[in-house]
Amino acid sequence: MVNLRRLQSAFVLLLTVAGVSGCAGTPVTQDLIRSPPSGLPRTAEVGTVPFYPQTENHCGPAALATVLNFSGLKTTPETLSKSVYTPGRQGTLQTEIVTGVQRRGRLALPVAGMKDAFREVANGRPILVLQNLGLDFAPQWHYAVLVGYDLNDEHVVLRSGKTRRLIEDMGTFEHTWRRSGFWGVSLARPEGPVPETVSMSSWLRAALGLERAGRPADAVTAYWTAADRWHRAATPLVLAANVMIGQDDLDAAERTLRAALRRDEDNAVALNNLANVLMLREKWSEAESVARAAVDAGGRTSQAAAETLSTIRKARPGRP
Amino acid sequence: MSMRKTRIKAIAVPVVTAFTIAIMPITPVEAGLVENDRVIETEQTAVDRATVDNFIKREDVRRQFELLGVDPAEAEKRVAALSDEQVARLAGQIKDAPAGQGAIGVIVGAAVLIFLVLLVTDLLGFTSVFSFTKKGSANPS
């Protein structure tokens, strides 16, 4: 496989060596200040975001408590540190932040970049960000919460460390955030609303995270929210139906899969899964014809469809 | 003694049967059902393919292709033959780069475009600017 990481660093190095380093710096900040995206206010701040000062090395739990409380869940950094703080590493891993959010029934949505982050802040959403306050070869990782920005004065506002309202130069923030690959998370409730900058696939992936965290009911709610927001897409309904199958609610699963097919009649996964549900409900003749349609639809899941069809044919009682 | 044996048997048989039932697949549905992990994966692949397809259909990208002597129609065919993993990586590059926020974000404007175009053409086997792209990508199928 292509090693893109290596490729990137080689290319960046090449440019730097070639003396093009004049390009390096804070392109996003420059771009945002010179030509801000349409509709983005010059300044914004979510003043109502609470503040939990961190104790030593505990910036992860403090930042997580900040965004969880803002999204309506009462908790403290002390409570959280039991589950998200890794003493051996003297810090919190990104995956622990994400699972810490999911286990409490919120979607952890990736926000990968300053433009989206500012847009969400303008919409009243704080963003949990991972910064590297050191350098790449001597990292000093730090979690903070972005709550505001000012394009006129070129700064951002963070809940960070022991400072409630840390004003940081926008260029500095870009540097420190870039070093984590712009790792950022915003929280959403399963019932929505869906943040403006979130794509359907990010939302669905975050909803699947709720399922994995043992919260199937929240996951289903999140799938329905997606079905509402992207009202022509079949996939959210297919996902919801699978949870229903897992809960043995075959009637609801069947109805949901039929709704998915009304949105996209050739959806191979919906056809295949509906055939499975119909088989379980012993609606043999329709199960077989739907399975055949799934096979005909082809696509990446054609193997599964072929299995479904052959299982139905084997299991089907002989016709009178 | 034999009565006791019979009694043990009377208990053992249902117990063993119960265990056997418990470890058997609950329903035959397991065989063909597409589970949610897979549903998400399939969805993501479709999104990534669309990202790459839209990129190589862009006017400025086509111009770069022509400068390199690459037939855009042939490029499209080769993109279709890339593996899901290759497409996913490429889509990630394309999504990150124009916003200038990826790891290569320090390079701006036209340089980004040329870099991406060369990345694509390398992957597709038209060019070989980056030696790293050779391994595993010589055969896009």
Side-chain angles (χ1 to χ4, degrees):
Chain A
M1 283 305 116
V2 186
N3 191 333
L4 289 172
R5 286 247 163 270
R6 230 180 339 144
L7 182 56
Q8 284 164 6
S9 34
F11 199 68
V12 170
L13 189 72
L14 187 80
L15 281 188
T16 316
V17 171
V20 198
S21 53
C23 292
T26 54
V28 190
T29 299
Q30 297 314 314
D31 197 32
L32 275 164
I33 289 162
R34 260 188 248 126
S35 48
S38 66
L40 187 75
R42 300 290 300 178
T43 69
E45 185 168 344
V46 200
T48 50
V49 177
F51 176 55
Y52 296 89
Q54 73 170 80
T55 51
E56 201 177 342
N57 289 329
H58 283 51
C59 61
L64 184 56
T66 304
V67 288
L68 284 174
N69 276 283
F70 183 77
S71 88
L73 294 164
K74 294 276 158 277
T75 183
T76 63
E78 292 70 40
T79 318
L80 291 169
S81 63
K82 284 182 205 115
S83 58
V84 302
Y85 180 71
T86 315
R89 293 176 154 270
Q90 301 198 315
T92 304
L93 301 172
Q94 286 136 287
T95 51
E96 289 165 337
I97 294 278
V98 170
T99 53
V101 170
Q102 289 165 346
R103 276 209 304 266
R104 286 162 186 83
R106 294 288 186 266
L107 287 90
L109 298 156
V111 180
M114 306 241 300
K115 281 178 192 167
D116 284 356
F118 287 5
R119 175 92 59 192
E120 292 306 342
V121 165
N123 289 341
R125 288 174 188 279
I127 313 291
L128 194 160
V129 295
L130 176 63
Q131 296 172 285
N132 178 358
L133 304 178
L135 290 167
D136 284 338
F137 55 85
Q140 192 194 335
W141 298 108
H142 177 67
Y143 289 102
V145 180
L146 176 74
V147 298
Y149 66 86
D150 186 334
L151 294 178
N152 300 323
D153 189 49
E154 303 182 19
H155 71 241
V156 297
V157 184
L158 300 159
R159 300 270 183 274
S160 179
K162 289 182 163 52
T163 316
R164 166 179 273 275
R165 199 166 171 280
L166 180 71
I167 311 280
E168 193 165 281
D169 173 74
M170 200 174 280
T172 307
F173 177 68
E174 181 178 346
H175 277 303
T176 55
W177 194 19
R178 177 191 303 284
R179 293 194 198 111
S180 79
F182 294 101
W183 193 87
V185 166
S186 80
L187 269 54
R189 294 165 180 266
E191 65 272 25
V194 179
E196 185 189 345
T197 63
V198 168
S199 69
M200 185 176 85
S201 55
S202 307
W203 178 272
L204 294 178
R205 204 172 276 280
L208 181 66
L210 289 173
E211 246 186 275
R212 290 210 186 108
R215 301 189 74 106
D218 286 330
V220 171
T221 305
Y223 293 143
W224 281 117
T225 304
D228 236 29
R229 164 74 178 72
W230 292 279
H231 53 93
R232 273 200 282 269
T235 305
L237 295 170
V238 174
L239 292 161
N242 266 347
V243 181
M244 294 163 187
I245 294 169
Q247 293 170 336
D248 233 0
D249 190 352
L250 297 179
D251 186 49
E254 182 182 330
R255 268 184 284 120
T256 307
L257 285 165
R258 287 191 196 280
L261 288 165
R262 277 196 295 278
R263 292 178 174 204
D264 177 9
E265 59 180 356
D266 301 321
N267 189 297
V269 181
L271 285 166
N272 172 71
N273 287 5
L274 177 60
N276 279 282
V277 171
L278 292 169
M279 169 175 69
L280 287 174
R281 307 194 80 191
E282 299 182 2
K283 298 181 180 178
W284 297 106
S285 128
E286 198 192 354
E288 189 169 334
S289 67
V290 172
R292 240 182 286 120
V295 171
D296 291 344
R300 265 148 225 295
T301 51
S302 56
Q303 179 88 36
E307 268 173 48
T308 301
L309 184 58
S310 92
T311 310
I312 291 170
R313 284 188 173 148
K314 268 182 235 147
R316 186 174 184 174
R319 286 170 218 196
Chain B
M1 211 34 143
S2 81
M3 254 225 344
R4 203 172 155 201
K5 250 188 199 161
T6 318
R7 207 178 299 153
I8 288 169
K9 212 172 160 189
I11 297 164
V13 169
V15 167
V16 168
T17 314
F19 272 110
T20 315
I21 289 168
I23 58 167
M24 271 193 336
I26 305 157
T27 54
V29 79
E30 310 277 329
L33 192 77
V34 177
E35 309 269 0
N36 275 353
D37 287 36
R38 192 75 204 291
V39 176
I40 294 275
E41 218 176 273
T42 311
E43 171 73 28
Q44 188 62 51
T45 305
V47 171
D48 290 343
R49 291 230 172 242
T51 304
V52 175
D53 285 348
N54 289 338
F55 176 74
I56 63 166
K57 284 195 175 102
R58 270 168 56 165
E59 196 52 46
D60 47 356
V61 171
R62 295 201 159 228
R63 264 200 304 278
Q64 291 297 327
F65 277 160
E66 274 158 30
L67 284 175
L68 290 164
V70 171
D71 175 13
E74 177 63 21
E76 272 176 47
K77 259 188 252 161
R78 293 202 196 174
V79 162
L82 289 179
S83 74
D84 288 350
E85 198 191 347
Q86 285 172 314
V87 169
R89 283 170 191 226
L90 207 48
Q93 291 292 306
I94 293 165
K95 260 183 289 175
D96 285 353
Q101 303 194 342
I104 57 162
V106 287
I107 318 155
V108 283
V112 172
L113 187 75
I114 293 164
F115 169 75
L116 282 172
V117 168
L118 287 173
L119 198 64
V120 171
T121 54
D122 257 28
L123 255 175
L124 301 183
F126 290 116
T127 54
S128 59
V129 179
F130 307 112
S131 56
F132 332 95
T133 57
K134 297 233 180 57
K135 204 179 149 201
S137 62
N139 265 326
S141 56

